Amino acid sequence: MTAKFFAILTNQGAALLANATALGTKLNITQMAVGDGNGTLPTPDATQTKLVNQRRIAPLNMLSVDANNSSQIIAEQVIPENEGGFWIREIGLYDDNGVLIAVANCPETYKPQLQEGSGRTQTIRMVLIVSSTAAVTLKIDPSVVLATRQYVDNAVIEVKAYADNLLKQHIADTNPHKQYAPVASPVFTGTPKAPTAAQTSNDTQLATTAFVQAAINALISGELSTKQPLDKTLTDLSGKSVAAILEYLGLTDTSKLAGRLLASPTVITTSGQFILPATGNLFRIRVQGAGGGSGAARATSSTTLSASGGGASGSYVELWLTRSELEGLTAAAGGHLDIVIGAGGTGGVASAGGDGGTTSFGNLIVCPGGKGSDYGIITTSTTTGLANGGASSAEPTITVPGLSPDRIILKMAGAPGHFGISVQSPTLAGNGANSPLGNGGVGSGASATQSGGKGFGSGAGGVSNGNSSATKNGAEGANGVIIFEVYA
């Protein structure tokens, strides 16, 4: 049966190997390339000077003579898990001058990337029969290649065998510590004993337990007996409750605790009216616009695919206001401020995703919502298509007369959503944009409910369709929010 998969020297490689053998020099093989053959399994050709469609080239990890066949060399390369997204159908070996020395084909295998949902470290080996393995050598930079598991295991075995042998010799040696001088009559079993030195000794004698106990007793009855007594404050605080300690320290007067948080943050998720709390002198306010929805994925035929992009996040403001500022602003507005919480953008139904709603704190802080993403595009099985993610939201506005810029902690427009990509395989929906308060929806394509925005103000993830699928609705962006904190 004719071999389907094999490796051969190219004409250039055979000539260089013959020349190296004749002159007693070395043919330095340094790199391995892999390619996808432009979608079909190629047949190695000795006239080749390059691969049919090269997808990756990198230094070799190992080049060795086959232990079972001295006429064969084995070339090996490790492709790390963070590289991939292509098929491997052809392999090439290059020397240090960039000449294609050998070419091979191999069973089709797909090298995925981590973001596709699966990742692995791929080892590629080429076995090549040559006339003289002595004329072939590997020349690599050890700082840029990966070690295979087998290589590391073999090294560990060698190190362990070496260490075990050293330990065996150490145990068998009658005097393994020749560097140490002999000790006269040591007692190392039972209860080791030694003469107790006088308390005035200050030399290299052993200190027995009797010597140590005598030294401790002398310290207690001497220096420690004359030390300063414990501070009265520690005695007074001993056994007191938290309230009693605060009273003792004079901390029950709240005027001495300015700046502390008085209560848990108030999270406002529905529109209504804001009335200034009776307590508090400083207020931290966070306002988040709603996230944009994602577009639908169009219906597909047997030869088409579809995916939509992710929605954008809403704009965001975080700042400090004083009681006097809020009192003046609420009084001017009739004693309260109207609050509007933006609703998340709707998922597209055979259309683009809806824009997220605006969240506003009176007319003082206005945060527009994020934009919805494109209606998922259709592409043929051989064409790549892109569906735009939602565009960045408008900048938030702050209308507080005389507000110092240093009181604005953060002010930002919403981030755009990610593109959706339709290719032959796979089809990837775009992720929704993250907001400062949470992650955007994941462009899983599984369902609209799984792709919605995850945190306040985040964009929805896109959805996708495989071949011959009905229109799939887009997902909803996350609602906006206002978070209000009161400080003393």
Side-chain angles (χ1 to χ4, degrees), residues 348-403:
V349 180
S351 63
D355 294 344
T358 296
T359 299
S360 59
F361 184 73
N363 63 351
L364 309 179
I365 306 171
V366 179
C367 290
K371 302 296 183 181
S373 69
D374 279 357
Y375 181 16
I377 54 95
I378 294 178
T379 179
T380 65
S381 60
T382 59
T383 302
T384 298
L386 296 177
N388 290 329
S392 301
S393 66
E395 286 278 348
T397 58
I398 302 174
T399 309
V400 179
L403 182 66

